[in-house]
Amino acid sequence: MSPKKNVPKRRFKEFLDAPAWEQHRVGEYYAFKNGVNKGKEFFGKGLPIVNFTDVFNNREITSTNLVGRVNLDESEKRSYLVKQGDIFFTRTSEVIEEIGFPSVMMDSPTDTVFSGFVLRGRSITNSDPLENHFKKYVFFTEPFRREMQKKSSMTTRALTSGTAIKEMDFVFPANKNEQQRIGEYLTKLEALISMQLVRIDKLRVIKDSYLSVMFPTKGNNIPKLRFKGFTDAWEQRKLEEISPVRGGYAFRSGEFLQEGIPVVRISNILIDGTVGGEFIHYKKQDNDGNYILKDGSAVIAMSGATTGKVARLSIQSDKIFYQNQRVGYFQPIGGVNYNFVCTIVKSDLFLEQLRSLLVAGAQPNISAKQLGTFEFIIPIDSVEQSKIGDFTLCIDSLISLHQRKLDKL
């Protein structure tokens, strides 16, 4: 919203001169009801039921996508029936940031009920003030999410209620044509996001499928699938012989700057295999050459929740980064293709050896020395290494390209 009260900064042109949006309490228009609670023996067959996961994972629900079932008598069914346009909120969550996620029933379900883990909101007026496509998003905006978190309780779990939600404020244009334009536009964006996620998942499946046959299975030294012209058996090597791991530098936290050379910490090694997030910066030093990371460098988190996660710098420039303590860097060795190194340190064989070292229940961590003992069967011919490494780099680049498109969406 712009400084002018309840007027969006951006608006479809046909509504530029339309009145400001209205602000109301949710309880002026919607009444809330808790869902059905039954013993586990009642679930698995019977009536379709809107469950917690249906609401939490989706901003819209359709009856055809419901998989949950519950046995109820006729009076219970009438009490908990779901209608088109009903809005649901999740009642409880492990963390306050995930409390009260909304979702809307978009079609007209038959004999469908809802779970006790969600709240049903239904219009108490003759005409619902919100168009359904718009309704999917108005309760998921940042201002409403902040109010939801503020007015929900938190003990061992976060909890909200219909009483609390009725006291929350929301804003909307009275003109349902404007609501519909906004809702349909955001729905199309979500569809594009879903398509992009499918593309990324397909590329990852393709990559995993190829890697499963391009590397020898356990006990063998020849892969099932090879590039044409290569027949020699692969040989076993330790990681320290292929790409020894260099530990990082313990930068002094009191000397971090607002600007300077960014420092890669374990928090910058992301789950998706990229290096990113918020960087701290450090001043340039004369003797910093031993801790510089350049474009294409493969790094690993050596402690914390992401221990063993490998990522690769992709900065596509001459920019440099510093390597912080507890971040390992896979150093290149002459005669070994670095793209191939980046492939094997992201492989299942690497993960299997990593899991055998991590102690359940203990703070995860690993040393450069331990990593150096990891063993791999590799092709000795650097040309074959290069072909495998370049092939996986090509797929990774496609995945990164689609990931950037996804981020923009």
Side-chain angles (χ1 to χ4, degrees), residues 23 60 178 183 201 223 248 309 326 337 359 369 390 408:
Q23 180 170 319
E60 68 173 54
E178 184 174 7
D201 288 342
K309 188 66 185 175
R326 307 310 301 155
N337 180 267
V359 179
K369 184 177 180 180
D390 292 348
K408 286 181 180 179

Side-chain angles (χ1 to χ4, degrees), residues 40 42 89 91 156 178 182 192 240 270 284 303 321 384 386 392 402:
K40 63 181 180 180
F42 290 89
F89 292 89
R91 289 182 57 237
T156 55
E178 184 174 7
I182 294 169
L192 289 172
E240 63 186 7
L270 307 181
K284 188 175 185 346
S303 65
F321 287 72
E384 186 173 10
S386 177
T392 55
H402 285 291

Side-chain angles (χ1 to χ4, degrees), residues 339-355:
N339 287 337
F340 179 78
V341 169
C342 295
T343 300
I344 62 174
V345 297
K346 288 186 175 182
S347 68
D348 288 340
L349 183 55
F350 179 89
L351 292 175
E352 288 172 10
Q353 296 180 81
L354 176 72
R355 292 189 196 104

Side-chain angles (χ1 to χ4, degrees), residues 99-100 144-152 160 168:
I99 190 64
F144 193 83
R145 291 295 308 143
R146 286 196 299 269
E147 188 166 13
M148 175 68 72
Q149 294 170 32
K150 182 180 178 180
K151 291 185 177 178
S152 298
T160 191
M168 298 177 192

Side-chain angles (χ1 to χ4, degrees), residues 309-335:
K309 188 66 185 175
V310 175
R312 196 169 185 187
L313 270 174
S314 180
I315 48 183
Q316 300 173 341
S317 70
D318 58 358
K319 188 175 182 180
I320 62 171
F321 287 72
Y322 280 145
Q323 173 196 359
N324 197 26
Q325 188 181 32
R326 307 310 301 155
V327 170
Y329 162 55
F330 296 95
Q331 301 178 88
I333 283 184

Side-chain angles (χ1 to χ4, degrees), residues 10-293:
R10 180 172 293 184
R11 215 166 181 180
F12 288 103
K13 61 182 180 180
E14 61 266 41
F15 305 107
L16 289 176
D17 297 323
W21 289 20
E22 299 179 6
Q23 180 170 319
H24 294 275
R25 291 285 174 91
V26 175
E28 294 178 46
Y29 295 102
Y30 298 97
F32 288 86
K33 183 178 178 64
N34 291 334
V36 60
N37 285 300
K38 301 285 283 185
K40 63 181 180 180
E41 66 272 16
F42 290 89
F43 290 88
K45 57 183 178 179
L47 302 175
I49 184 170
V50 175
N51 279 320
F52 176 93
T53 52
D54 299 316
V55 178
F56 184 86
N57 293 324
N58 307 285
R59 302 289 64 81
E60 68 173 54
I61 308 168
T62 57
S63 56
T64 55
N65 291 332
L66 298 177
V67 296
R69 297 292 184 270
V70 64
N71 264 325
L72 297 180
D73 61 34
E74 195 63 29
S75 64
E76 288 174 317
K77 183 185 78 172
R78 287 195 300 270
S79 183
Y80 299 108
L81 273 178
V82 174
K83 296 181 180 179
Q84 185 179 35
D86 283 347
I87 183 166
F88 300 93
F89 292 89
T90 54
R91 289 182 57 237
T92 183
S93 173
E94 293 288 343
V95 293
I96 196 72
E97 290 79 13
E98 295 180 350
I99 190 64
F101 275 26
S103 188
V104 178
M105 175 57 72
M106 298 301 291
D107 62 4
S108 299
T110 302
D111 293 339
T112 299
V113 295
F114 63 103
S115 163
F117 290 101
V118 300
L119 295 159
R120 184 195 66 193
R122 179 174 289 173
S123 175
I124 58 176
T125 63
N126 291 329
S127 177
D128 192 322
L130 299 181
E131 191 275 334
N132 285 339
H133 284 91
F134 180 82
K135 193 190 295 183
K136 292 190 298 182
Y137 302 106
V138 68
F139 299 113
F140 205 60
T141 58
E142 285 189 21
F144 193 83
R145 291 295 308 143
R146 286 196 299 269
E147 188 166 13
M148 175 68 72
Q149 294 170 32
K150 182 180 178 180
K151 291 185 177 178
S152 298
S153 61
M154 183 72 197
T155 52
T156 55
R157 293 175 63 87
L159 184 69
T160 191
S161 65
T163 302
I165 296 174
K166 286 197 296 183
E167 295 301 312
M168 298 177 192
D169 293 321
F170 71 118
V171 294
F172 59 92
N175 187 328
K176 285 195 175 181
N177 289 329
E178 184 174 7
Q179 291 184 25
Q180 186 173 7
R181 286 295 307 277
I182 294 169
E184 289 178 350
Y185 179 77
L186 293 176
T187 298
K188 288 177 181 177
L189 275 180
E190 280 206 307
L192 289 172
I193 288 170
S194 296
M195 289 172 58
Q196 200 63 21
L197 283 168
V198 169
R199 291 189 183 104
I200 292 171
D201 288 342
K202 283 183 178 180
L203 283 169
R204 285 175 174 157
V205 169
I206 290 171
K207 178 184 174 182
D208 291 342
S209 298
Y210 271 108
L211 290 180
S212 67
V213 292
M214 291 176 70
F215 282 77
T217 55
K218 194 170 184 178
N220 294 306
N221 59 6
I222 295 178
K224 291 181 181 179
L225 181 67
R226 299 180 87 167
F227 287 98
K228 189 176 180 179
F230 300 100
T231 57
D232 292 340
W234 290 22
E235 297 183 10
Q236 185 167 291
R237 293 287 187 275
K238 290 184 177 180
L239 184 59
E240 63 186 7
E241 301 174 84
I242 305 168
S243 182
V245 177
R246 180 188 75 189
Y249 181 70
F251 292 99
R252 294 180 290 276
S253 60
E255 297 184 19
F256 290 135
L257 308 171
Q258 292 295 321
E259 296 181 352
I261 298 177
V263 179
V264 176
R265 300 174 292 170
I266 55 175
S267 59
N268 298 119
I269 299 175
L270 307 181
I271 293 296
D272 65 1
T274 61
V275 177
E278 186 175 343
F279 292 96
I280 59 174
H281 297 80
Y282 202 74
K283 62 185 179 181
K284 188 175 185 346
Q285 301 181 109
D286 292 335
N287 61 344
D288 59 13
N290 291 331
Y291 302 102
I292 282 179
L293 299 171

